[in-house]
Each structure stands twice: as C-alpha cells, then as structure tokens.
Amino acid sequence: MPGLVDAHVHINEPGRTEWEGFLTGTKAAVAGGTTAIVDMPLNAHPTTTTKQHLDEKKEAAKGKLYIDTGFWGGLVPDNAYNASILEELLEAGALGLKSFMCPSGIEDFPATTAQHIKASLPVLAKFGRPILVHQEVTDPPSQPSSLVPGEPPSNARDYMRYLNARPLTWEREAVRQLMEVAKDTKPGGVAEGAHVHVVHLSDAEDSLSHIKAAKAEGSSVTVETCAHYLSFAAEDVPEGATEYKCAPPLRDARHRELLWKALLGGDIDMITTDHSPSTPDLKLFEEGDFLKAWGGISGIQFALPATWTHGSAWGMTIQQMSRWWSTVPAKMVNLPRKGSLEFGKDADIVVWDPEESFVIDSTYPIYFKNRLSPYIGHKYSGKVITTFSRGRQVFEEGRHAQKPCGAMINPV
C-alpha cells in the first residue's frame, strides 16, 4: 500500500526534546507504515512563527529523519497582519500555516481570531497553500482548567468532568466562524488559491454540517478526523487515565459512530494522528486530574492498525483507508510525488499483514520517546512488516535502517 502521509504531527524539536524529537518521532512513524509527516509549529520552542525559527527547526532536524518531513508555519496575532513576515515564512519552506482559535497552552503560540485567519488568506492565496485551524473557541473565554466553577476538585479524575468542561458548542461555534472566513477562498474571491483545512474533527453533527455547506457553496475546504476519535469513546476512558486527554476531547460512542459514517459517506476527507506527546510528569498520572494534566495523545506508530481494526468492523476497504491516509493528505499538503503508487512518484511503500493481530503490551516495542499512549493495552490487527521511503527499506520486522535517510520536504 502507499505509505501513510500524516499531516498533523507534533515533534517538539527544538526546545522540548524530552517530549519527542525528530529521531524518535520518525522512527515510530516508519514502524507504523508512515512515510511522510508534516510537523506542527508547536510545541517546539521557539514556535515556528518566523523564518528564523523555521531555519532553527530545519537545523535541528538535520541527520535525524527516517522519513520525509515537512513543516507548517504558525499563525499568531503578532504575525497575522504582517504580510512580509508570513511571506518570508512561506518562502523559507513552510508548507502552509497553522493556528489555534483557543488558548494552545503554549505561551508563545496564543490564540487567533477569525479575523486574524481572514487576514492571512490573501498571503496564502499568493502561494497556493493551506491554513490548518484548531477549531474551538472558549465561551466564555478562559483557560479550560478553570471551567466549571464551584464544583469540588474531587471529581477531576472522572473523564466526564473534562468532557463537560470542553463542550461541543466550542467546536461548533469555531467551525461556524471559520466557514464564514473560508468564503474568501471561493473562485473569484479575494483569497482564491488559499485553502482552509479543519483539523481533528470530533463533531460529525453541526460542525460537519457547516463544513459540508461551505464545500457545496464553493469554498476551498477540507476536514480531517483522527485515529483516536475513531478508536476510543468517552464512556470507556478509565478513571484518572490522563493518557486519553486531548482537545477537542474524545466524545461518546454515538459521536464515534457518526464520524465513521461521515468518513464512509465521503463527508470527512482524511485521517491524521495529531501525535502530541509529552512527559509522564505533565500527564499527572498519580493525581489523575484530567483538568490539570497536559493534553495530547501519542499514536503515530499505531495509525494503520488502529484504523484497520476499527474500520474493518464498518466494512472499510483497504482502498478507502489508503485514500484517507495517503491520497487525500498528499493532495491537501501539495505533495504531488506522494500519496499513491504510480510511475514517476516516490516509492513510499508499506507492506503489512491485515490478518496478523497483536497486543500492545508492556513488551511491545514502542519507538516514540515516552511510553504513554491510550493504545497500550489494546489488541489490533494489521501488522506492519516493512516500510520503504523513496525506494529505500527503512524498517523491517522491528529493525530500522542503520542511518536515517529521510529528506526535508520543500514546497512545489
């Protein structure tokens, strides 16, 4: 099958290499059948919001990439209205921009408004590149950990407390605002040529309805969901198991079912991991406090088996999975040499056994830096046997190539 293209990954280097790094992150990716990733502008420090910071990240990545790796730039209030800074960032190799419509938790990556995003679109149109948006707006505006005032802290180990503190209305209002802005990308619009991509959709009801309407009206829009939203449900999260915390939060089994139906119906375009690791101390495992623990799910190594295992139960075909994980992401990122097995394209190939099952237990080899993941303890089908990156065998049966041979992806 074509290697997976994961357009939503947090490698965190430079600056937070105790969380993850290019070497460990790409080793984990290739062991899971992924042959290209695009790294987010956070949680690296400094965040990738200027040409200088992008250059620093590229320098940090040298000699550490097992697969081809690209980089998103960051949109923040400080650069949103400064076309020259954004142009420099895109000219330096950023494949597009990423912004948060709510507090990211990272001090040097503050939230943007719909107006900030709107201001960036003409610059993106000039380069023909996308903006990826974290679609939550806090209402009322505040840090998520301070929500639900007056309730005792004793129930903070209960996942439902966190779920209720980050309601669906946040996602729905953000998507509504974003789709208004996306109208500028219509043919003949002031930002024709730009593209708006909604990341990690967890709501296949009202939020998806706004996205479908925008597409029908001619806006240039795509949407992803993540493997963890397709794998887990809120009611199954154990007490205090903060490795399941992410934003938007894992919702109930009914919403998971709706996401699968939307994928199979063609309304959700693609899947990513949103691999977002941190350290054990930030996850507060002893306290198990969902409100205070750092959010983010580690899963880059398990995208293929998790999707195959759960998708098979829905009648998903290998061709559909390849479209969601390879063809569409490559097109959204503008990677014409990736995403399919065709003459003249990169020989990015994963060989895997759909029928072989395994349990991710305490002895299972995990290659990302911190062994923290909700996938641990679960049984999956779909074992990766070997992975090729541009024709080079970089992983086979638990062994990696002696040296990293991935390249940095430059815009076309």
Side-chain angles (χ1 to χ4, degrees):
M1 194 175 82
L4 279 59
V5 177
D6 194 345
H8 192 158
V9 178
H10 297 265
I11 294 294
N12 307 323
E13 187 173 359
R16 290 188 172 92
T17 51
E18 69 276 16
W19 296 20
E20 192 64 279
F22 287 109
L23 192 65
T24 52
T26 59
K27 285 182 79 170
V30 77
T34 297
T35 52
I37 63 170
V38 189
D39 179 40
M40 286 291 172
L42 72 169
N43 302 313
H45 183 74
T47 53
T48 318
T49 55
T50 66
K51 176 186 181 299
Q52 178 185 344
H53 295 167
L54 177 58
D55 289 344
E56 290 175 20
K57 179 174 279 192
K58 287 182 173 181
E59 187 64 30
K62 284 182 179 178
K64 300 175 183 176
L65 304 177
Y66 271 85
I67 54 174
D68 293 352
T69 301
F71 308 97
W72 299 119
L75 183 78
V76 292
D78 279 353
N79 66 13
Y81 296 112
N82 193 322
S84 62
I85 291 179
L86 295 180
E87 287 180 4
E88 277 189 354
L89 184 55
L90 295 166
E91 286 170 352
L95 298 175
L97 300 175
K98 165 71 182 292
S99 76
F100 270 68
M101 294 181 76
C102 65
S104 69
I106 298 295
E107 189 174 331
D108 61 338
F109 205 89
T112 52
T113 65
Q115 292 308 305
H116 290 130
I117 296 166
K118 184 181 178 72
S120 73
L121 291 178
V123 179
L124 289 161
K126 179 179 176 181
F127 289 81
R129 296 189 202 159
I131 183 165
L132 290 74
V133 183
H134 181 120
Q135 76 293 4
E136 290 180 291
V137 290
T138 54
D139 186 16
S142 78
Q143 292 290 349
S145 61
S146 66
L147 297 178
V148 199
E151 286 193 24
S154 58
N155 68 344
R157 290 176 55 84
D158 183 350
Y159 178 77
M160 293 301 176
R161 170 76 187 278
Y162 172 65
L163 179 61
N164 293 333
R166 210 162 182 124
L168 275 166
T169 53
W170 287 16
E171 188 168 359
R172 291 171 175 175
E173 175 58 18
V175 171
R176 186 194 68 76
Q177 293 180 21
L178 191 57
M179 292 305 100
E180 282 294 314
V181 168
K183 290 178 179 179
D184 288 353
T185 66
K186 291 180 181 180
V190 295
E192 181 182 0
H195 181 78
V196 174
H197 180 72
V198 180
V199 299
H200 50 45
L201 187 79
S202 72
D203 170 37
E205 293 182 305
D206 290 8
S207 297
L208 187 57
S209 294
H210 288 305
I211 294 166
K212 289 167 63 177
K215 289 180 177 180
E217 293 170 3
S219 298
S220 184
V221 175
T222 47
V223 58
E224 70 184 52
T225 191
C226 297
H228 46 267
Y229 297 118
L230 300 168
S231 302
F232 307 114
E235 50 265 52
D236 300 326
V237 176
E239 183 176 295
T242 54
E243 65 269 30
Y244 287 83
K245 180 180 178 179
C246 61
L250 299 171
R251 306 204 187 275
D252 60 27
R254 185 180 72 85
H255 280 91
R256 179 178 58 186
E257 180 178 329
L258 291 171
L259 288 171
W260 273 112
K261 288 180 177 178
L263 264 172
L264 293 163
D267 294 325
I268 295 175
D269 302 289
M270 54 183 270
I271 313 175
T272 66
T273 62
D274 187 12
H275 176 70
S276 188
S278 63
T279 54
D281 58 315
L282 290 174
K283 281 293 186 181
L284 303 179
F285 283 127
E286 289 189 13
E287 292 179 47
D289 188 327
F290 279 103
L291 296 181
K292 294 180 181 177
W294 187 262
I297 284 179
S298 296
I300 197 168
Q301 191 173 329
F302 311 125
L304 190 156
T307 307
W308 177 247
T309 300
H310 294 283
S312 296
W314 283 93
M316 176 194 73
T317 65
I318 290 176
Q319 288 80 6
Q320 286 173 313
M321 186 169 74
S322 183
R323 173 176 170 79
W324 300 330
W325 268 114
S326 304
T327 309
V328 177
K331 184 178 179 182
M332 189 277 289
V333 182
N334 296 318
L335 305 179
R337 294 183 61 85
K338 308 288 188 186
S340 59
L341 299 181
E342 297 178 65
F343 181 79
K345 292 199 172 187
D346 291 341
D348 292 346
I349 301 167
V350 55
V351 180
W352 60 286
D353 185 345
E355 296 181 1
E356 184 168 348
S357 61
F358 57 94
V359 176
I360 304 173
D361 57 18
S362 59
T363 64
Y364 190 88
I366 292 176
Y367 300 104
F368 47 80
K369 186 160 289 186
N370 292 288
R371 198 181 177 90
L372 312 169
S373 175
Y375 294 98
I376 295 173
H378 294 277
K379 183 178 180 178
Y380 295 100
S381 297
K383 183 182 178 183
V384 173
I385 298 169
T386 186
T387 310
F388 294 84
S389 174
R390 283 180 287 109
R392 297 176 177 140
Q393 189 177 39
V394 287
F395 177 80
E396 183 183 22
E397 296 281 10
R399 298 185 306 275
H400 289 82
Q402 287 188 345
K403 292 182 179 180
C405 61
M408 296 185 207
I409 299 171
N410 292 309
V412 293

